Amino acid sequence: MEHFDELEARFANHLTRLVPEGSVVAAVSGGGDSVALLHLLTATPRRVIVAHLDHALREDSQRDARYVQALAQRFGYTCVIERLEVSKIADERKANLEATARELRYAFLARVAKQYGAQAVLTAHTQDDQAETVLMQLLQGTGRGLGMRPKRGKVVRPLLELSHAMLRAYLSSKGQNWLDDVTNADITFDRNYLRHEVFPNLVERFPQAKVALSRFANISQGEDDALDPLAEKRLHLDPRWPCPAYRVAPLLQAAPALRRRALRQVLERCGQRPESRLIFALERALEEEAFTLPEGWIVRRRDGTLFLIPPNLSTVARWPGSRMALPGDYLQMPAGKKRLVEFLAERGVPTELKQIWPVLAEGSLVREVWGLWPEPDDQRFLGLALEEAERAAQHGEVPVGAVVVRAGKVLARARNRVEESKYATAHAEFLALQRALQEVGEKELPEATVYVTLEPCPMCFGALMEAQVGRVVYATENLKAGAVTVHGMVPPFAWEGGRLEREAGKLLREFFAQRRQASSAKLVLTSEESS
């Protein structure tokens, strides 16, 4: 008994760390683990609400409900019982029975917690359950972190370090019985198969198997906590689009392990199960191999952006009198008419989005295209930066141009002048920032936007950060020295890329191709002179 007194004290301290204060909902099925949880709670001063969901999967399931209600009354706890025909609901949804039962159970527990203002929902998952979960996830090829966490949201699992055997010994010391659910012996369920067919043999050969798997889950979760934030920094939303869209280069430049973690987060944000096969498919999509996710999500790369297009994408915007783009539409531009489908393609709009893009039109003649025409300010200002980049190329400089804008006014323009000035720091955005600060007579530009044709390097990134600019808009990623793409720096300002990336990229490619050609010609000439 002294040993179990120590167990109760340890449990109380552990629960306080997980849930410092407040009432709790205890999920009690009537099985040994949940009954042990309820007994351990009696050794704490907590207000406890006992919650039991009758899944109606057995004829005698109401016996369990009566047992739990009697146990709660004995301890003086409020008891909430609800009955749902889970099998019928799963059939109607054409869904997996186990998954449906789990979803309905947690929804019920969340409702009870909200009703009673509880700080947490306690479940009786143990070390044995943790080991089974880890092995099942490994076998199913899950792409998410392994095992169950001691705390996720309001759900708290305070028994994960305790075994079935220890809890049953604890109940025996109390003279407390419990119920055995006969469906737990049905090995057609994956978890029951592992429990009854796999683990007995595994533990016979490796006695510490469950402890080792549980420890592995703790290590894996610790790595997740450290690495997931780093992976998230590789996810840069492209805000131009009405669906989830991410810049490709930061993901491709990341270490494979971080990239896969980031792609796991992409799937979770779309409500998809982050299975390994889907993560690997997303990796292939980064290399321009389109595919379809479960539930009809289309994954497609266009230029430097990865699109995740949902199956039922609603219109991106509704103007008075607007309609969706049609195949025969023409856009009226200053230089004349252009087929709308060609215009949208030039702007990098995927095929699936072309079909729902709003326009204002008179018959087949389009006057406005949502977000694309008339030309947005970002496009126009970045166009000015592109003009500066073209001037840089004409002067033998790496073609990068920059423009600083505040409140719609251009404060400064600049191009690269490294070769001309013989000064390594004479980068376009650095010079434009200097000129803008001189123009306004200030040391900081917190509301300014800097437009630059190439992603800033770490030096310019530092200058932008010190100037406290509000936003940076660049055309294409800097795969050699990009502050974010290559060096993984975290922008403290809005960070957007992709506009005019085709034009800026073409200018850079042509410049370096000419430089290589000139270098090769010089090398040939030198060789001929030597001979």
Side-chain angles (χ1 to χ4, degrees):
M1 284 296 294
E2 185 177 338
H3 167 70
F4 292 119
D5 289 343
E6 184 180 319
L7 174 64
E8 290 175 347
R10 197 167 81 236
F11 169 82
N13 290 334
H14 183 52
L15 181 60
T16 300
R17 286 194 296 272
L18 294 171
V19 188
E21 60 185 4
S23 59
V24 297
V25 170
V28 181
S29 66
D33 299 330
S34 62
V35 172
L37 171 64
L38 203 55
H39 262 279
L40 288 167
L41 283 168
T42 63
T44 74
R46 298 289 181 137
R47 175 177 174 245
V48 177
I49 300 93
V50 176
H52 174 86
L53 181 64
D54 181 354
H55 294 79
L57 293 173
R58 307 187 325 270
E59 290 184 1
D60 63 344
S61 63
Q62 291 182 334
R63 174 204 64 163
D64 299 357
R66 289 192 296 270
Y67 171 86
V68 171
Q69 190 165 39
L71 191 63
Q73 280 183 326
R74 177 179 147 201
F75 292 140
Y77 292 149
T78 300
C79 184
V80 180
I81 294 176
E82 188 172 306
R83 179 181 172 87
L84 290 174
E85 294 188 19
V86 173
S87 180
K88 181 180 178 181
I89 295 172
D91 289 342
E92 290 173 351
R93 295 180 178 179
K94 295 182 173 56
N96 176 271
L97 179 61
E98 287 181 281
T100 302
R102 182 169 56 250
E103 178 188 339
L104 294 173
R105 182 166 60 252
Y106 280 107
F108 161 68
L109 294 171
R111 288 197 304 274
V112 175
K114 183 177 181 180
Q115 179 183 351
Y116 287 89
Q119 299 304 305
V121 170
L122 308 186
T123 67
H125 293 105
T126 66
Q127 186 180 81
D128 301 65
D129 299 314
Q130 181 75 297
E132 292 163 6
T133 299
V134 171
L135 187 56
M136 184 180 295
Q137 289 175 332
L138 289 170
L139 294 172
Q140 290 176 338
T142 181
R144 61 161 59 95
L146 292 173
M148 297 176 285
R149 286 184 172 270
K151 184 174 184 179
R152 183 179 288 279
K154 276 199 167 187
V155 177
V156 175
R157 302 178 177 94
L159 304 182
L160 282 182
E161 296 180 1
L162 303 177
S163 67
H164 285 309
M166 177 179 290
L167 292 173
R168 276 151 181 72
Y170 169 69
L171 289 178
S172 296
S173 74
K174 296 284 188 181
Q176 175 66 57
N177 68 335
W178 61 87
L179 301 178
D180 289 316
D181 185 346
V182 294
T183 62
N184 287 335
D186 184 354
I187 62 172
T188 59
F189 294 111
D190 291 339
R191 184 176 290 275
N192 290 344
Y193 174 77
L194 289 179
R195 181 175 299 163
H196 299 298
E197 298 292 325
V198 175
F199 268 101
N201 294 318
L202 195 60
V203 171
E204 184 178 358
R205 185 66 178 261
F206 302 101
Q208 295 300 307
K210 292 181 180 180
V211 175
L213 286 168
S214 181
R215 185 184 304 120
F216 179 50
N218 291 335
I219 294 170
S220 175
Q221 290 166 14
E223 291 175 347
D224 287 344
D225 292 340
L227 296 175
D228 281 351
L230 296 178
E232 187 176 11
K233 292 172 184 175
R234 290 290 172 172
L235 292 177
H236 293 279
L237 276 168
D238 191 334
R240 295 174 294 161
W241 310 106
C243 64
Y246 300 89
R247 296 300 296 168
V248 167
L251 289 164
L252 288 177
Q253 292 292 313
L258 282 181
R259 178 169 60 249
R260 288 168 193 147
R261 283 178 177 272
L263 293 176
R264 182 180 79 192
Q265 293 174 23
V266 167
L267 289 169
E268 289 174 339
R269 290 179 183 184
C270 293
Q272 299 285 314
R273 182 180 175 86
E275 299 176 16
S276 295
R277 65 182 181 89
L278 298 181
I279 292 173
F280 291 134
L282 278 178
E283 280 196 296
R284 294 194 297 273
L286 291 173
E287 301 288 353
E288 302 193 30
E289 183 179 322
F291 78 104
T292 303
L293 283 169
E295 300 180 13
W297 285 74
I298 297 171
V299 181
R300 182 186 302 282
R301 175 179 170 177
R302 284 297 304 270
D303 299 323
T305 300
L306 183 70
F307 294 87
L308 287 94
I309 304 169
N312 299 310
L313 185 66
S314 60
T315 176
V316 294
R318 286 202 178 276
W319 293 334
S322 70
R323 64 166 172 81
M324 297 299 96
L326 298 173
D329 285 342
Y330 282 83
L331 176 62
Q332 182 64 59
M333 302 179 73
K337 294 180 183 178
K338 175 177 286 232
R339 290 182 64 208
L340 182 61
V341 66
E342 293 178 4
F343 172 82
L344 293 174
E346 289 173 357
R347 295 301 191 272
V349 178
T351 301
E352 295 79 8
L353 294 184
K354 291 177 189 175
Q355 301 167 6
I356 57 91
W357 211 272
V359 298
L360 290 177
E362 295 176 0
S364 62
L365 188 61
V366 174
R367 293 181 287 107
E368 294 187 42
V369 183
W370 184 83
L372 299 174
W373 189 265
E375 191 174 63
D377 287 344
D378 284 346
Q379 191 95 352
R380 181 165 58 88
F381 290 132
L382 202 48
L384 298 179
L386 191 63
E387 291 177 3
E388 293 294 326
E390 290 168 347
R391 292 192 184 98
Q394 293 167 4
H395 287 79
E397 301 277 357
V398 175
V400 180
V403 173
V404 181
V405 176
R406 186 169 69 177
K409 178 185 177 183
V410 175
L411 300 181
R413 299 170 56 155
R415 60 172 175 84
N416 264 4
R417 292 179 178 270
V418 173
E419 303 300 329
E420 178 184 329
S421 66
K422 305 299 181 186
Y423 199 46
T425 62
H427 292 191
E429 58 268 50
F430 193 87
L431 296 175
L433 196 59
Q434 284 183 325
R435 293 174 185 175
L437 290 167
Q438 290 170 357
E439 172 69 20
V440 299
E442 302 171 13
K443 65 176 182 177
E444 296 167 351
L445 292 167
E447 297 179 357
T449 297
V450 176
Y451 296 89
V452 58
T453 57
L454 184 67
E455 175 191 359
C457 68
M459 177 193 74
C460 295
F461 184 94
L464 294 164
M465 189 167 61
E466 289 298 323
Q468 297 184 23
V469 301
R471 187 164 168 251
V472 173
V473 179
Y474 64 90
T476 189
E477 279 78 14
N478 184 343
L479 300 183
K480 181 180 178 181
V484 172
T485 299
V486 175
H487 296 281
M489 300 174 77
V490 182
F493 30 66
W495 183 260
E496 301 173 18
R499 289 186 184 274
L500 298 181
E501 65 176 315
R502 292 180 181 180
E503 294 82 351
K506 182 173 182 285
L507 188 60
L508 285 162
R509 288 191 299 273
E510 289 177 348
F511 174 82
F512 285 111
Q514 291 173 3
R515 176 175 282 188
R516 286 192 297 270
Q517 187 177 9
S519 179
S520 297
K522 183 178 181 181
L523 183 63
V524 170
L525 182 61
T526 303
S527 299
E528 289 176 350
E529 290 175 349
S530 299
S531 61

